[in-house]
Amino acid sequence: MSTILELKDLAAGYSGGRPVVRDLNLAVEQGEILALLGPNGAGKTTMLLTASGLLPSLSGSIEIDGTPVKSGNARAAVRAGLVLVPDDRALFTTLTVEENLRLSRQRKGTTVDKVLSYFPALKERFKVGAGQLSGGEQQMLAIGRALMQDPKVLLIDELSMGLAPVIVEGLLPVLRRVADDTGAAILLVEQHVMLALDLADTAVVVAHGQEVLRGAASDLARSPQRIEQAYLGSAPPLAVS
C-alpha cells in the first residue's frame, strides 16, 4: 500500500493563540483506518479542521500523494481528495436525503445507489427531509454525502456524537467496507475507544496537542492500561506492527 495522507511537523491552532497541535506527524495509507484518540481538548478536531482546509496551519505541511495541499483552503483540500464529516454533520436540513446526496455528487465516481448499498436504511427515507431523520440516519447521510465526493481521505470527527452505542456498532463496520472497496484512507476521531480500536488498523493518542502513543490498534486494544496512561499524560511508545 502507498501513503495517501501525510502530515509533517504540523502545528495548528487559532489566530492570535498558542498552537493547539504541535509537531504532529501522521501518515495514512491507502485503505487504512487510523483512529485518532485522546481526551477532550487534545487538539483532535483542530487537526481535522486544519487538514480539511477550514483552518490554516501555523507551520508544517499536509500532503496528498506526496503533493502539498494549500493551507487554509477548503476547496483545494476537497479537490485534492480530503473530505471532512464534521461532528455537527452539516447537513442541509430542509432538503431531502436524495437532494443532499445529489448536491454532493461529482461528475464521475460514487453513485447514489452505491451510497444506498452502504446505508440501506436511507432508501426508506429517500424523500424525507434531513432535519426529520434520526441521529443515526443523519450520520449515515453525512457519511454518504462525503462519499459522493469520491474522497481519497475521509476525515470523520466524532462519528458517535449523540448516538447510542448500538447505533455506532452498526455504523463502524460500514467504514471498513468503504476503506476496502474504495481504497480511501480514513482518519477517525472517536470517543468510544474500544469500538474504534476494534475497527482501526492503527491508532494514535494525542494529549495536549502532541502524540503520546502510537501502535497497531489490535495491540493497543490488548493493552488498555497504556491507553489510560496516555490519556492521563504519557505512555511509552508502542511500535506499529
Side-chain angles (χ1 to χ4, degrees):
M1 292 189 294
S2 60
T3 298
I4 294 183
L5 171 66
E6 190 166 12
L7 311 182
K8 296 181 177 179
D9 300 320
L10 184 70
Y14 301 86
S15 178
R18 297 176 60 186
V20 177
V21 175
R22 301 183 298 280
D23 302 321
L24 185 64
N25 291 279
L26 286 179
V28 192
E29 296 185 345
Q30 182 180 11
E32 180 183 13
I33 299 178
L34 188 150
L36 188 66
L37 309 172
N40 291 338
K44 305 183 299 296
T45 292
T46 300
M47 189 278 292
L48 292 188
L49 292 175
T50 304
S52 63
L54 294 173
L55 280 178
S57 61
L58 301 179
S59 63
S61 65
I62 300 162
E63 297 182 2
I64 294 289
D65 289 332
T67 301
V69 179
K70 185 176 181 181
S71 171
N73 188 317
R75 287 178 180 264
V78 171
R79 285 196 299 269
L82 280 158
V83 179
L84 173 68
V85 179
D87 59 3
D88 64 0
R89 295 159 194 158
L91 299 171
F92 296 108
T93 56
T94 60
L95 300 183
T96 66
V97 168
E98 178 184 15
E99 290 165 338
N100 268 274
L101 292 175
R102 295 197 186 282
L103 277 175
S104 301
R105 186 179 181 183
Q106 303 298 306
R107 291 184 179 180
K108 297 180 180 180
T110 304
T111 64
V112 170
D113 285 342
K114 184 62 176 177
V115 169
L116 295 179
S117 74
Y118 289 127
F119 302 110
L122 293 181
K123 291 182 181 179
E124 299 176 6
R125 310 288 275 165
F126 202 50
K127 300 295 184 180
V128 174
Q132 298 175 272
L133 301 178
S134 69
E137 291 166 342
Q138 287 186 347
Q139 189 61 278
M140 293 176 198
L141 179 56
I143 296 170
R145 198 175 67 171
L147 294 178
M148 295 294 291
Q149 299 176 67
D150 296 320
K152 292 184 178 180
V153 181
L154 190 58
L155 309 168
I156 303 179
D157 194 9
E158 296 291 6
L159 177 143
S160 65
M161 182 73 74
L163 302 181
V166 67
I167 301 297
V168 179
E169 289 174 5
L171 287 174
L172 288 175
V174 177
L175 300 184
R176 179 79 272 167
R177 285 181 55 202
V178 167
D180 292 343
D181 290 351
T182 69
I186 297 178
L187 185 53
L188 174 70
V189 169
E190 180 50 56
Q191 61 181 322
H192 289 287
V193 173
M194 297 311 296
L195 289 178
L197 292 176
D198 284 344
L199 170 74
D201 302 296
T202 308
V204 172
V205 180
V206 293
H208 306 295
Q210 294 181 301
E211 178 186 322
V212 294
L213 183 63
R214 177 193 299 255
S218 57
D219 290 341
L220 291 178
R222 291 191 293 269
S223 304
Q225 72 280 4
R226 298 178 68 89
I227 299 286
E228 183 177 353
Q229 291 169 3
Y231 269 62
L232 294 175
S234 63
L238 181 63
V240 178
S241 61

